[in-house]
Amino acid sequence: MNSELRQRLLGEAAVRAAEHPADVATAVGAGMAKVRRKIAWGSVIAVAVALALTAAFVAWRIAVIPPPPALESIAVTSASQALRPEATIALTATGRYSDGSSRPLGDGVEWSSSNPGIATVDGAGVVTAVAAGSAELTATLAGVSGKLTLAVLGTDGAELTALHVSPETATVDPGGILQLLAEGTFSDGSRGNLNDSALWSSSNPAIARVDGRGLVTAVAPGTARVSASQEGLQGSSTITVPDAPKPTITAVSVNPAQLTLKEGQTAQLEAVATYSDGTSAAVGNATWETSPPGSKIADVDPTGLVTARRTGSLAVVATVPGADGQLLRGQAELTVVPSVKSIKVSPAGPLQPEPGGSVQLRAVVLYSDGTTGSDVEWSSDRPLIASVDGSGLVTGVREGDAEITATADGVTGNPVTVLVRTSPD
Amino acid sequence: MCELPKRRFLPSLNPLRLVLSVLAAAVVAAGWLLPELVSAIPIGAGLLTLVAAVLLPAVKEIEFGLSPGFKLSPALKDREAELRSVFERQKGDMEYCAHLLCDNPETARELLEAAWSQAASAWRGPVTPQLRVYTLCVLVRLLRKHEMWMRPSGGGAAPPLPGAGPLASLTFDERIVVVLHEFANFTFAEIAGMTDRTTPEVTGAMSHAAALTRGPSPAESPPAAPRQLEEGPQ
């Protein structure tokens, strides 16, 4: 296309465009309105789909996993519906469910009595007859209740037809006790507690003895039969008393638990075991070691003999095998202090006090770690000639010769000769 | 055929959306463990979170090119302003093409506005130079439909308007080729793609049109002639 034609066409187009200008804003606005509608509809559809999916999921779940069967009714039963005062009996609550099944109810069942003056019931459903009359016993679970009417009969009239002791067998550790229950069944169908009225006896009181209310005490290992008798009827329970369990070591300690030794001194430690029966005794199979191991402060030999080597502190640990291979440990805290190396007494003497006169002596104690002190015990070999008090003050008593010494930790200092003389004046 | 940009999913997978997806899935899974109707609460909450916080924002970003974020209205306003700005810069170019392609100025204006409207609602993702091609393609498609409706029932082209220029003597397909090639500087391959024709058909149409407009043959046509109708800077 030649440029002349091109320019002419462009010119004509420019004129038409100027006469009929297009509106971009309106056009874009219309386009964006369509976008808004798309987004709005898309959002609505997406949310609807999400909600529909949720509903579908839940519906599917409910369809796939059926809900647990609902408890429809509770049946309360007992071995007897007639009791005599003081008799106890356990009630049983059995739930019947919407799927036709039934099973015994345990936890969560609430028990109540319509008349606690006639019969009481505890949380486990055990009824105790109190006085003659009638009471309604109710078991409630999840809003569903079941009832049993219990009659408590008077104590006279009916004849005892059976006697039963429970538990029929029991194991009681030596020293332990067990309350037996003697229950009687009467001719009117009622049950009664015969613990007080029955005659109790043990086939071997050296193994298990029983008191007049059926309380059994285990005495020694073995088996005994404990019987209750009344009106010619008898019930019994077999009581087994096992051997006392062998005590096991539960803890170990070291005796003494704390000690202080001077350098070079020794001390014997012992490991003491505490047993499961509460007793304790020294044990010889302990393994001894210092903590930290290999300490130069002290040594301990396999028998627990500790030798102090240098000043410081450490622990001496005893290890004893316990039950199930468990290692039990006990320890003593040991402190090693310096020992007396030498004592120097001054003045060195000889001293010549008059009778009644006195002279002050001083002692300097040199310890193994180089420190010094003055803690000594003073003594005179002839106190009737010259006496010395705890501070080293020597007093002449009468004429004669005596020797004063200072001692600390078995070390004696240089002796000082005291010549008590009367002055010629 | 007017091509839209391909959907780009990866840029929309940001860490926040991934975390929210995992959390929502965990809530749905937790709901699965609850009994009966109670399970509807976490399952519904999880699915709604997935839809509202992950799915819809991602769709808005991928499909409509809206800026990321939960607020819709500002994002739409930003998008509208961006498109309007781009179309304003391209307005002169587009108007020339519309009036060169259509002899009726009122129809040219209406169809150009319709093309902008369609492009604004259909354009996917960020605004790129390809938007001009797409808008022109939509304009050509609309013109072609209009031309078909205006064609006389007996067949043949509509009679040229009084005072119409030399382009009115061309067939509509030839006119499209001439305008897009000579004034919008599209290659014959691009024109073939936009008009659903083959390149030989386009070059044939151009040769025929060139004889009528005394222009150069396709072989002589400069491949990179300076654009007289170039859009403004984007």
Side-chain angles (χ1 to χ4, degrees):
Chain A
M1 180 180 288
N2 62 55
S3 59
E4 203 173 303
L5 178 59
R6 185 193 306 267
Q7 290 304 321
R8 202 186 100 202
L9 290 173
L10 282 173
E12 289 170 2
V15 170
R16 288 204 293 272
E19 289 172 352
H20 301 272
D23 187 351
V24 173
T26 305
V28 174
M32 291 308 292
K34 202 182 286 182
V35 170
R36 283 189 179 86
R37 283 196 296 276
K38 279 185 192 173
I39 290 174
W41 276 110
S43 302
V44 168
I45 290 169
V47 170
V49 167
L51 292 175
L53 275 177
T54 304
F57 275 168
V58 173
W60 186 75
R61 276 208 64 199
I62 290 173
V64 169
I65 306 168
L71 179 64
E72 288 186 334
S73 65
I74 295 176
V76 180
T77 55
S78 73
S80 173
Q81 286 183 257
L83 295 180
R84 303 225 156 204
E86 294 185 22
T88 61
I89 194 167
L91 300 180
T92 304
T94 305
R96 201 178 303 279
Y97 290 87
S98 55
D99 61 353
S101 67
S102 60
R103 55 177 177 266
L105 304 176
D107 294 339
V109 176
E110 288 182 11
W111 292 95
S112 63
S113 169
S114 64
N115 194 343
I118 303 296
T120 61
V121 60
D122 66 11
V126 176
V127 180
T128 302
V130 178
S134 177
E136 216 166 47
L137 304 167
T138 306
T140 306
L141 178 65
V144 180
S145 296
K147 292 179 180 177
L148 173 76
T149 302
L150 181 77
V152 179
L153 306 176
T155 54
D156 51 304
E159 192 178 319
L160 182 65
T161 57
L163 196 160
H164 178 254
V165 175
S166 61
E168 292 180 352
T169 60
T171 300
V172 186
D173 288 333
I177 59 173
L178 173 68
Q179 178 65 59
L180 296 180
L181 177 64
E183 278 186 316
T185 304
F186 293 86
S187 55
D188 57 5
S190 65
R191 288 191 174 199
N193 185 319
L194 305 179
N195 270 42
D196 287 342
S197 58
L199 182 63
W200 292 92
S201 63
S202 170
S203 65
N204 194 341
I207 292 173
R209 63 173 183 266
V210 61
D211 69 3
R213 292 180 55 84
L215 184 68
V216 174
T217 303
V219 178
T223 300
R225 179 178 291 273
V226 175
S227 303
S229 305
Q230 185 170 326
E231 296 177 20
L233 299 173
Q234 184 174 331
S236 63
S237 173
T238 302
I239 305 296
T240 301
V241 182
D243 290 332
K246 189 179 177 182
T248 56
I249 298 175
T250 56
V252 173
S253 60
V254 174
N255 187 30
Q258 289 185 328
L259 74 161
T260 301
L261 295 178
K262 295 187 182 337
E263 281 180 305
Q265 280 187 324
T266 60
Q268 179 65 51
L269 301 179
E270 69 176 3
V272 179
T274 302
Y275 292 90
S276 54
D277 60 359
T279 60
S280 60
V283 291
N285 61 340
T287 303
W288 294 92
E289 62 180 351
T290 57
S291 177
S295 171
K296 293 180 178 175
I297 295 172
D299 298 333
V300 61
D301 73 0
T303 66
L305 183 68
V306 179
T307 304
R309 297 294 182 198
R310 63 169 64 167
T311 56
S313 297
L314 84 164
V316 180
V317 180
T319 305
V320 175
D324 304 326
Q326 183 188 9
L327 291 178
L328 301 169
R329 297 171 193 276
Q331 68 176 44
E333 301 298 331
L334 170 65
T335 304
V336 179
V337 297
S339 60
V340 176
K341 201 171 180 182
S342 64
I343 301 172
K344 186 176 182 181
V345 181
S346 60
L351 306 174
Q352 286 193 347
E354 291 183 359
S358 59
V359 178
Q360 177 66 51
L361 296 181
R362 283 189 172 73
V364 176
V365 182
L366 178 63
Y367 291 98
S368 55
D369 61 351
T371 59
T372 59
S374 59
D375 193 10
V376 295
E377 285 183 6
W378 294 97
S379 64
S380 168
D381 65 340
R382 298 177 71 183
L384 294 178
I385 303 297
S387 64
V388 60
D389 68 5
S391 65
L393 183 67
V394 179
T395 304
V397 179
R398 65 171 65 168
E399 285 191 348
D401 298 348
E403 200 166 68
I404 306 297
T405 53
T407 306
D409 290 344
V411 176
T412 304
N414 54 301
V416 176
T417 304
V418 177
L419 308 172
V420 182
R421 298 289 184 268
T422 303
S423 168
D425 297 336
Chain B
M1 184 177 172
C2 305
E3 284 190 3
L4 284 166
K6 288 183 179 175
R7 292 183 177 86
R8 297 169 65 216
F9 294 99
L10 277 182
S12 67
L13 287 176
N14 60 39
L16 176 65
R17 282 187 192 142
L18 286 175
V19 169
L20 282 173
S21 304
V22 172
L23 283 177
V27 170
V28 171
W32 193 254
L33 302 175
L34 293 177
E36 299 179 21
L37 288 174
V38 184
S39 64
I41 296 170
I43 290 175
L47 286 177
L48 285 176
T49 303
L50 203 61
V51 166
V54 180
L55 191 63
L56 288 179
V59 168
K60 283 187 290 185
E61 199 175 318
I62 296 167
E63 198 64 32
F64 302 112
L66 302 183
S67 55
F70 291 104
K71 291 186 177 175
L72 179 62
S73 187
L76 282 168
K77 282 181 182 170
D78 290 349
R79 176 72 165 182
E80 186 173 348
E82 184 186 19
L83 287 170
R84 196 159 62 193
S85 167
V86 171
F87 287 146
E88 286 286 0
R89 288 199 297 271
Q90 298 172 353
K91 183 180 176 185
D93 180 7
M94 293 292 180
E95 281 182 325
Y96 280 141
C97 287
H99 288 291
L100 287 169
L101 286 167
C102 180
D103 290 328
N104 187 328
E106 192 57 28
T107 303
R109 180 189 65 78
E110 286 174 0
L111 294 180
L112 177 57
E113 288 179 355
W116 278 330
S117 176
Q118 283 192 26
S121 67
W123 187 251
R124 185 182 292 153
V127 174
T128 63
Q130 199 62 23
L131 176 60
R132 172 179 171 268
V133 179
Y134 179 76
T135 310
L136 275 173
C137 180
V138 172
L139 176 64
V140 167
R141 199 175 58 199
L142 291 173
L143 281 165
R144 190 190 290 276
K145 280 184 186 172
H146 178 76
E147 191 268 343
M148 285 173 66
W149 281 106
M150 297 304 291
R151 190 176 294 166
S153 56
L161 291 173
L167 291 176
S169 59
L170 303 177
T171 65
F172 188 67
D173 287 339
E174 289 169 353
R175 187 169 182 168
I176 289 171
V177 173
V178 168
V179 171
L180 292 182
H181 181 71
E182 293 289 336
F183 296 93
N185 278 354
F186 284 107
T187 64
F188 294 120
E190 285 175 325
I191 295 166
M194 289 169 70
T195 55
D196 293 333
R197 299 165 72 192
T198 62
T199 305
E201 285 174 341
V202 171
T203 52
M206 185 64 193
S207 300
H208 187 254
L212 293 173
T213 56
R214 295 188 305 275
S217 69
E220 298 167 292
S221 177
R227 291 195 174 207
Q228 296 175 12
L229 304 177
E230 192 65 63
E231 77 243 50
Q234 291 192 18

